[in-house]
Amino acid sequence: MYAFTLERPATLADAARLVAAGAKPLAGGQTLLASMKLRLSAPEQLVDLSGIKELTGIRKDGNTLTVGAMSRHLDVANNADVKAAFPALADLASRIGDRQVRAMGTIGGSVANNDPAACYPSAVLGSGATVITSKREIAADDFFVGLFTTALEEDELITAIRFPIPKRAVYEKLRQKASHFPLVGIFLSQSDSGAVRVAVTGAGNGVFRHAGLEDALNQSFTAAAASAVKIDASDLNSDLHASAAYRANLISVLTQRAVTKALN
């Protein structure tokens, strides 16, 4: 590891000031520290966000759940309100990486990093959540821009994620056994009004909604309706773990499983 300075602010305002001056924010460090060790990233100054109480906590307000950006995966997985009101989110958090990753990784860090195979972005997009930052609120549909790219400005920090509590929701994934990242992950939700959202992770250059599956399931919320949708493989990832055609098939199969589980 090369030399760098580490700042540990106690307030969001101090952290934002340091980031605006060029420092790199450090949340759980599950991606950043590994990239620094490999010399893929070389920030001269890090801002450790772990001591900022404003970024912690999970609360239920009416029909929403607000999760602080520095909430660890284990915090979300084990929180009583999340398990009772939004069990799909608790289930997703409980299956991220391994125990060590879940003990250190944070929801804010995952969403800000926007890894194309990360689990949390699919929950944010698939539920129509709102990303709350140090400057504004950003709808999920406007937040995820592309590969490791979001709508965040250089000096902007995620402070919390506000999730609408769905009528039903399910997260299904087939994980790559070495990394535990999903080859494909499907986050399916249905609101009280009946509107369906289907978010796909692991299959493309970033998380995305699948319009064809959503249209079919809005007409008939059944596994048969999902199975009738043709999944185009032309823009999907193909690598040593799985071909684009295999990932297209997984999108269909996992969505069918999610619908079946949701109905049960």
Side-chain angles (χ1 to χ4, degrees), residues 108-115 121 131 133 136 138 140 142-154 156 158 207:
S110 175
V111 172
N113 189 50
N114 193 23
D115 188 294
V131 180
T133 80
R136 53 185 168 149
I138 310 172
D142 300 321
F143 183 81
F144 300 104
V145 176
L147 182 68
F148 292 105
T149 308
T150 71
L152 287 174
E153 298 173 357
E154 288 296 325
E156 193 170 15
I158 296 176
V207 65

Side-chain angles (χ1 to χ4, degrees), residues 173-235:
K173 73 174 178 179
L174 181 66
R175 67 181 177 87
Q176 199 280 324
K177 292 185 178 180
S179 69
H180 291 211
F181 277 105
L183 284 176
V184 171
I186 299 290
F187 196 94
L188 167 79
S189 74
Q190 185 179 45
S191 69
D192 288 335
S193 68
V196 176
R197 296 174 71 100
V198 179
V200 183
T201 188
N205 285 333
V207 65
F208 63 93
R209 291 173 63 185
H210 198 286
L213 287 168
E214 290 182 352
D215 290 344
L217 293 172
N218 277 316
Q219 294 180 45
S220 174
F221 194 77
T222 62
S227 70
V229 176
K230 179 176 174 55
I231 310 298
D232 184 4
S234 59
D235 292 328

